Amino acid sequence: MKMHSFKKAFIFFTIIALLSGCSINSIIKTEKSREEIARITEMMDSEDFNGATKHVNKIEKAGDRDIALFCRGYILSYPKNPHRDYSKAIKTFEKLVSMFPESPMKSDAEAWIRILSVIKEQQEEISRLKAKNQELKDSIDKLKEVDKETEKKRLGTP
């Protein structure tokens, strides 16, 4: 009887130890990712995009591929980046989510995907509306010309 309860206790504590180990690793990885993002943000704020990209390569070589993917997506979507590309950023974040479903960066990546998708849709809508606006301006100009010609004919002037 005592042996049976010892096994239960052993299994219980083993599970707790494993779970707490996973939590500690997750906390350490989350803290590391915050530090890396802060470092990269500093580089990008000073417009050192090449330095930021090189730093991401170092992160990847160190084996933290999920953090590297997150940082790549962040660089691709950074407002001051003259080469920002929301489509590539979305794909990068989606890759993180699919390749690293247990990553502490996953929920942040999913949030970025949603935000960037909305921005991309709004940019497409703005482009569509600008084109429509130009089309309407052109129509107005044509109507003004027709109106001028009609007025000339009405007044009998050439």
Side-chain angles (χ1 to χ4, degrees), residues 13 32 34 37 39 52 121 128 132 149 151 153 158:
F13 286 115
K32 182 175 183 179
R34 282 190 191 125
I37 292 166
R39 189 171 298 136
E121 287 171 13
R128 188 189 67 73
K132 183 68 175 171
E149 291 299 318
E151 188 64 21
K153 286 180 183 177

Side-chain angles (χ1 to χ4, degrees), residues 116-131:
L116 293 173
S117 295
V118 169
I119 290 171
K120 195 173 158 208
E121 287 171 13
Q122 289 175 342
Q123 287 179 332
E124 290 167 359
E125 180 68 6
I126 288 168
S127 294
R128 188 189 67 73
L129 290 171
K130 282 182 177 179

